Amino acid sequence: MSRPYTFVPPAGVRAYRLPTARGEFAVLDAAPEGRAKGTVLLLPGFTGSKEDFIALHAPLAAAGYRTVAVDGRGQFETEGPRDDETAYAQSELAQDVLAQTAAVGAPVHLVGHSLGGQIARAAVLADPSPFVSLTLMASGPAQISTAQQQRVKLLRDALAVMGMAEVWEAIQAMEPPEETETGRLDAGLDDLSDLRRRWLGNSPAQLVATGRQLCEEPDRVAELAAVPLPKHVLSGERDDTWPVTLLDTMAVRLDAHRTVVEDAEHSPNADRPLETARALAAFWDGTLPASTPGSPG
């Protein structure tokens, strides 16, 4: 479970509900400093939320980029059906992304973390025209590792017989002590209360449906490679969800720019936000027309 250092939007970051053709989505939106170079849409991963990118807004604003992080349907502060899994089919979530893109103002740079990367890929394959680039952050070519599949199956089995609050308590009981001690949490978190609040905000149907997707996702790298769009594969130097070597190979198959963030694991956006922001901005800067620096990509 990702652990942002705070759930409180920093100065310059606006929290609101973004109206789209497919409903409203909770977002955190930060305007760029100076002349705008482009707009970025950030999609969180499984059990995550828009707050996972909270430390990226300021450095990316300083680099000239507007950033909009979104809770997907049934994630944290965006409502979604609690019992109907059909609303969370990957194709439906991809259409949500296209609607969000239209609402914030295309064209955009699209960034997806983990599960968000696979949803971002589906959106690009459905319609690449609204996007300037695609960054897959700690998001692999197909299903997650066997060990992570086992964890997701445990979660799905628990959700079939327990409520969200009961599952939260079970998850905490299963965590190693060093992961649940207050001293190991990021300083901005109020013990586990914010993480628990986020967990309870999730739709059980969303978790079950997207968890199944993570365990069954086919390899669509060849399809994505055929899309003429600048691509970026970014990860930490360690990852237990998709092996880093697999991400290296995927980047080659995509002819994508590759970034490995030192001292980061599955969430480089939270582990090493300044380094991650620098890598993202450098990649996006490379998509700008050479004749008009600072103009939208």
Side-chain angles (χ1 to χ4, degrees):
M1 183 180 296
S2 60
R3 286 177 169 156
Y5 79 91
T6 182
F7 276 65
V8 179
V13 178
R14 188 164 59 102
Y16 64 96
R17 302 188 68 80
L18 177 73
T20 79
R22 291 177 62 86
E24 293 186 343
F25 295 85
V27 301
L28 295 176
D29 188 336
E33 298 177 11
R35 187 176 181 182
K37 295 179 182 178
T39 297
V40 183
L41 185 64
L42 300 150
L43 311 181
F46 186 62
T47 75
S49 68
K50 60 191 178 301
E51 286 74 18
D52 292 345
F53 304 106
I54 211 161
L56 296 182
H57 291 292
L60 290 177
Y65 290 94
R66 175 193 176 196
T67 48
V68 183
V70 60
D71 286 338
R73 184 177 303 277
Q75 277 186 323
F76 191 26
E77 295 180 324
T78 295
E79 295 179 358
R82 306 287 289 181
D83 302 311
D84 180 10
E85 293 181 36
T86 61
Y88 306 108
Q90 190 184 80
S91 58
E92 292 296 319
L93 299 178
Q95 289 301 315
D96 286 347
V97 173
L98 293 171
Q100 294 156 11
T101 300
V104 301
V108 306
H109 296 280
L110 185 59
V111 179
H113 173 236
S114 195
L115 169 72
Q118 298 196 333
I119 296 170
R121 178 172 73 178
V124 167
L125 290 174
D127 182 5
S129 64
F131 303 110
V132 183
S133 72
L134 171 65
T135 296
L136 302 175
M137 181 186 294
S139 185
Q143 72 272 14
I144 55 179
S145 68
T146 300
Q148 291 299 315
Q149 288 185 45
Q150 292 169 348
R151 290 173 66 103
V152 170
K153 184 180 185 302
L154 282 174
L155 174 59
R156 284 163 45 197
D157 290 346
L159 288 170
V161 297
M162 301 165 66
M164 290 291 285
E166 293 175 289
V167 173
W168 170 261
E169 296 303 325
I171 290 172
Q172 297 312 301
M174 292 173 62
E175 290 286 347
E178 65 272 16
E179 292 298 322
T180 56
E181 291 175 359
T182 303
R184 280 297 299 273
L185 295 177
D186 291 318
L189 292 177
D190 178 17
D191 202 1
L192 292 172
S193 60
D194 284 324
L195 294 174
R196 183 179 186 275
R197 180 169 60 90
R198 176 172 69 177
W199 171 261
L200 295 177
N202 285 313
S203 158
Q206 182 266 130
L207 292 172
V208 171
T210 56
R212 183 179 295 109
Q213 291 168 29
L214 285 169
C215 296
E216 299 177 354
E217 178 74 2
D219 188 323
R220 304 186 71 186
V221 174
E223 292 177 69
L224 185 60
V227 177
L229 194 70
K231 305 173 188 75
H232 185 192
V233 175
L234 185 149
S235 73
E237 62 180 351
R238 296 177 299 278
D239 198 310
D240 61 0
T241 304
W242 287 276
V244 172
T245 53
L246 188 64
L247 300 177
D248 293 338
T249 301
M250 183 179 72
V252 173
R253 295 173 64 195
L254 290 172
D255 192 23
H257 184 70
R258 179 74 172 108
T259 298
V260 178
V261 180
E262 292 184 2
D263 298 323
E265 299 188 16
H266 186 61
S267 297
N269 44 308
D271 296 340
R272 304 283 284 178
L274 294 180
E275 293 80 359
T276 299
R278 281 197 289 266
L280 289 169
F283 169 65
W284 298 327
D285 286 349
T287 69
L288 294 170
S291 58
T292 55
S295 64

